[in-house]
Amino acid sequence: MHFPLSPRIGATSEPPIPSVRAWASRYDGRAGRVLDLTQAVPGYPPHDDLLAKLAACAGSTATSSYGPIDGEPALRSALAEDMSRVYGARIATDDIAITSGGNLAFTMAMTVLAGAGEAVMLPAPWYFNHRMALSALGIPCVPLECRAEDGFVPDPDRAARMMQGVRAIVLVSPNNPTGAVYPPAVIAAFAELARRHGAWLVLDETYRDFLDPAQSPPHALFADPAWRDNVIHLYSFSKAYCVPGHRVAAIAAGPAFRAALMKALDTMQICAPRAAQAALSWAVPALAAWRDGNRAIMAARAETFRRAAGQLPGWRLDALGAYFAYLRLPEDAPDAVAMAETLAVERGLLGLPGPFFGPGQERHLRLAFANAEEAVIAEVPARL
């Protein structure tokens, strides 16, 4: 006998990464070791001193009890100072709330923002967990097509014609899945568009620590104190500090949103992991130079991938940045899902097919090169 479950969860897509890894269970090893380029994880360990801090904090009774709902003041202050430096504008400790990972930050933000029948605009291709969260919450999604010929940068003029019923616009820059970096003028135009329509702009900058220093500041939104009225900023410590398993992220927003957010924080997490917060409050200022070094590592891997892609007749590298390469399949190749399955089963190369990231992506494949050393990336052309 079958008992009913939530229809919203039933309508939510299956997690993509386990699906692709399941294909690899049929791989017989004929092409060599498995190259898993599915997940955006740092391909190097956390700093030794950070690991020691994490161990010490986890073993302390001070971090074993519940903490502040919106996060440890020391970490909120450290992040506010770091953001103020990056963006050249004052971010206050009171603007910051700490969450149990970036996905939960997004889910809680959407829970606070969207009411019955109110939609959220997602540029497509989109980060699949964002779309899954909207489905699970029953929030309608308005896809905003981003074209390869535009570098996968969303067009605010096209978005302006689609704002009916939209409560929030979501931007991810540097982008997952494409790696595209949105120019400051484009981000500013979307902020103005959202304000003009009484909507919110949700800006996810999980990968901003991997931007070229010449691209800093990434935008000027924080230079206007009015950003607190309708801008929500999402950030994750997972990538920059190599601690995705510790689930720590942050939301920066103004007082009206934060007052409502406190209800979601208390309901969904009570508090973020305290030991990791304590360790990261030390790491944010102390490991700035180490983070810069990691940015250089990622830039080198991106350049290695660019050279590798140049060896592939018929394939086209449509976008590259942060952790990701977004490849267009050859014209005579099958669609992306069939191609990705074939690559996993016959060539031991795991990547995510474009349709996992939304409509119109049947000719694209995302490869996350961040977890692959340059020698591994050099093996990719032979597999493709």
Side-chain angles (χ1 to χ4, degrees), residues 314-338:
W315 292 78
R316 190 173 80 198
L317 184 60
D318 272 348
L320 178 76
Y323 276 28
F324 309 110
Y326 208 57
L327 288 163
R328 180 179 290 274
L329 276 62
E331 290 184 5
D332 59 350
D335 282 349
V337 173

Side-chain angles (χ1 to χ4, degrees), residues 4-348:
L5 299 170
S6 165
R8 295 194 303 274
I9 292 295
T12 300
S13 301
E14 297 294 327
I17 292 172
S19 299
V20 174
R21 289 176 175 169
W23 293 337
S25 66
R26 291 147 46 203
Y27 174 57
D28 62 9
R30 72 184 76 170
R33 58 181 170 172
V34 170
L35 307 183
D36 188 346
L37 304 184
T38 57
Q39 194 163 33
V41 294
Y44 40 81
H47 193 282
D48 286 345
D49 291 345
L50 176 55
L51 287 173
K53 290 278 186 183
L54 286 165
C57 293
S60 169
T61 58
T63 60
S64 299
S65 60
Y66 289 126
I69 293 172
D70 57 353
E72 301 295 320
L75 180 56
R76 292 169 55 217
S77 175
L79 180 59
E81 291 182 14
D82 188 61
M83 290 178 65
S84 298
R85 176 188 58 80
V86 169
Y87 296 99
R90 183 178 179 275
I91 311 296
T93 300
D94 286 345
D95 294 325
I96 306 295
I98 304 299
T99 69
S100 298
N103 280 2
L104 188 57
F106 180 83
T107 300
M108 288 190 289
M110 295 301 105
T111 300
V112 172
L113 289 181
E118 293 172 332
V120 170
M121 181 179 288
L122 291 185
W126 51 54
Y127 173 43
F128 52 77
N129 279 142
H130 285 175
R131 184 65 182 94
M132 291 168 69
L134 295 181
S135 295
L137 293 169
I139 298 172
C141 173
V142 176
L144 174 63
E145 179 191 6
C146 298
R147 303 178 301 186
E149 55 265 37
D150 299 327
F152 290 105
V153 174
D155 183 345
D157 292 333
R158 185 179 297 122
R161 300 190 289 269
M162 304 167 61
M163 288 298 295
Q164 181 67 35
V166 170
R167 170 52 64 94
I169 303 168
V170 176
L171 301 181
V172 181
S173 179
N175 185 257
N176 180 1
T178 66
V181 177
Y182 300 167
V186 170
I187 295 174
F190 272 100
E192 175 55 32
L193 173 65
R195 179 176 289 273
R196 195 163 67 243
H197 286 269
W200 292 81
L201 177 65
V202 180
L203 181 58
D204 183 333
E205 293 191 285
T206 292
Y207 299 94
R208 60 109 163 143
D209 294 280
F210 302 97
L211 284 170
D212 187 318
Q215 296 169 307
S216 187
H219 54 78
L221 295 189
F222 296 126
D224 180 0
W227 75 267
R228 295 176 176 88
D229 296 339
N230 77 315
V231 172
I232 297 163
H233 180 270
L234 306 182
Y235 176 75
S236 171
F237 296 90
S238 295
K239 316 302 182 184
Y241 299 92
C242 306
V243 289
H246 287 280
R247 311 310 303 136
V248 185
I251 299 176
F257 176 85
R258 285 199 71 240
L261 176 66
M262 292 292 281
K263 300 177 184 179
L265 290 167
D266 191 43
T267 301
M268 295 186 182
Q269 68 176 28
I270 300 181
C271 67
R274 297 194 70 197
Q277 289 188 74
L280 286 166
S281 66
W282 165 84
V284 171
L287 298 183
W290 179 76
R291 282 190 293 164
D292 290 343
N294 292 339
R295 181 177 63 230
I297 290 173
M298 285 299 105
R301 291 182 182 181
E303 186 55 36
T304 298
F305 198 99
R306 186 185 301 279
R307 292 195 301 269
Q311 304 172 32
L312 296 169
W315 292 78
R316 190 173 80 198
L317 184 60
D318 272 348
L320 178 76
Y323 276 28
F324 309 110
Y326 208 57
L327 288 163
R328 180 179 290 274
L329 276 62
E331 290 184 5
D332 59 350
D335 282 349
V337 173
M339 175 61 90
E341 183 174 5
T342 297
L343 288 170
V345 174
E346 298 184 9
R347 307 301 296 165

